[in-house]
Amino acid sequence: LGTKNGLIVFDRRTEKYRHYHPAPHLTDGLKAISINDIFHDRSGVTWIASSHGALERVSRYGRKFKLYRRSHDSGGDAVSLSSNRIVTIFEDSRGILWLGTQGKGLNEYNRKTGMIKHYRHSKSNPGSISEDNIYAISEAPTGTLWLGTHEKGLNKMDMESGTITRYPRGEPKKGKSTAGPCSNNITALLATSPTTLWIGSYEGLSILDIPSRVFTTYRHEPGKPGSISQDLIFCQDGDRIPGKR
């Protein structure tokens, strides 16, 4: 469990909690203060993203922490993170870690080579990410990477070329739009099949039918029990509409 003052680990066998408070004076202690994301990769490694400690790798038994930070002397080279403010972590089908940052774009971390590639917004390049605040990441089974930004909508990345297709907020007609999702403020993404992407936002839920590029929007409707309970969607799990019964 990530908190604003360290990490809490719940042992389901003993039903007890173990607290890890920030210990910057210890070489292998937790550095994170406010934890934004906790991610367990396919090899069993746990990663922690924070706004004050960058990226941390947790040992198998949760007793040691290894810190990855931006090197101020790197000049943006390929072995340094672009930012110490990591918002979200995602592992793709190839085992690559993707790190969304606050204000410094997207990082592609190849753990086998130790190389890190940076993707940044460029005003002169419409094929770049639409902004440098990346708050959500998901991969469709077809190998397409989807990115949710804080204020500039949805991005689709071709992972071979790194080229981005941008989907800003659309104006849904009767709940449907071919222009984009219901909000530019994307908070959660979940690709559940080669044809379906769920998009959580500040203004409701959009479901993208990928082949037709049609976005269907669900919002809270006062007095209608079958609508979602509120429009602010932070996380999603499976083929369910959060708050809808």
Side-chain angles (χ1 to χ4, degrees):
L1 307 174
T3 76
K4 291 186 177 181
N5 187 32
L7 180 69
I8 300 173
V9 177
F10 176 65
D11 188 323
R12 286 178 288 185
R13 182 178 58 84
T14 63
E15 296 188 349
K16 292 183 178 180
Y17 294 91
R18 187 164 64 247
H19 297 256
Y20 292 92
H21 297 289
H25 58 287
L26 298 178
T27 303
D28 56 1
L30 177 69
K31 306 300 187 297
I33 298 175
S34 181
I35 295 176
N36 295 325
D37 196 12
I38 300 173
F39 183 82
H40 305 283
D41 69 22
R42 288 192 295 275
S43 67
V45 173
T46 300
W47 300 83
I48 297 172
S50 77
S51 296
H52 302 284
L55 179 70
E56 295 190 61
R57 174 175 173 163
V58 186
S59 67
R60 182 176 180 182
Y61 298 103
R63 299 183 185 278
K64 294 183 179 180
F65 300 83
K66 181 179 179 180
L67 180 66
Y68 298 78
R69 291 180 62 87
R70 177 179 180 270
S71 171
H72 293 286
D73 299 325
S74 69
D77 68 23
V79 295
S80 172
L81 298 173
S82 64
S83 172
N84 288 331
R85 294 180 177 270
I86 308 297
V87 179
T88 188
I89 307 170
F90 181 81
E91 180 184 26
D92 71 18
S93 55
R94 304 169 299 168
I96 301 294
L97 281 187
W98 296 86
L99 313 171
T101 76
Q102 182 179 348
K104 295 293 183 179
L106 180 70
N107 288 217
E108 177 186 354
Y109 176 33
N110 187 322
R111 288 168 288 174
K112 292 182 179 179
T113 64
M115 304 299 282
I116 301 175
K117 186 175 181 179
H118 304 159
Y119 298 86
R120 299 292 304 274
H121 170 67
S122 171
K123 291 182 179 180
S124 61
N125 180 11
S128 66
I129 57 177
S130 56
E131 72 157 316
D132 285 332
N133 295 298
I134 306 297
Y135 280 18
I137 306 171
S138 188
E139 180 188 12
T142 53
T144 300
L145 199 70
W146 294 92
L147 310 171
T149 72
H150 180 49
E151 294 182 328
K152 297 294 182 179
L154 180 69
N155 290 188
K156 180 178 74 172
M157 171 181 278
D158 181 320
M159 289 194 288
E160 293 298 323
S161 65
T163 302
I164 296 290
T165 302
R166 302 174 183 176
Y167 296 91
R169 183 183 187 276
E171 294 296 334
K173 184 177 181 180
K174 294 185 179 180
K176 295 184 182 292
S177 170
T178 56
C182 62
S183 175
N184 278 327
N185 309 107
I186 308 298
T187 54
L189 294 173
L190 181 64
T192 56
S193 75
T195 61
T196 306
L197 178 70
W198 297 63
I199 307 161
S201 77
Y202 284 8
E203 300 176 69
L205 173 72
S206 291
I207 301 177
L208 170 63
D209 180 75
I210 297 172
S212 67
R213 300 183 183 179
V214 172
F215 295 81
T216 301
T217 292
Y218 298 87
R219 288 194 172 95
H220 173 62
E221 299 179 47
K224 188 175 181 180
S227 69
I228 60 176
S229 57
Q230 67 168 332
D231 288 339
L232 184 57
I233 308 293
F234 277 124
C235 63
Q236 297 159 180
D237 181 20
D239 293 299
R240 296 183 293 109
I241 300 174
K244 185 169 184 177
R245 297 174 182 269

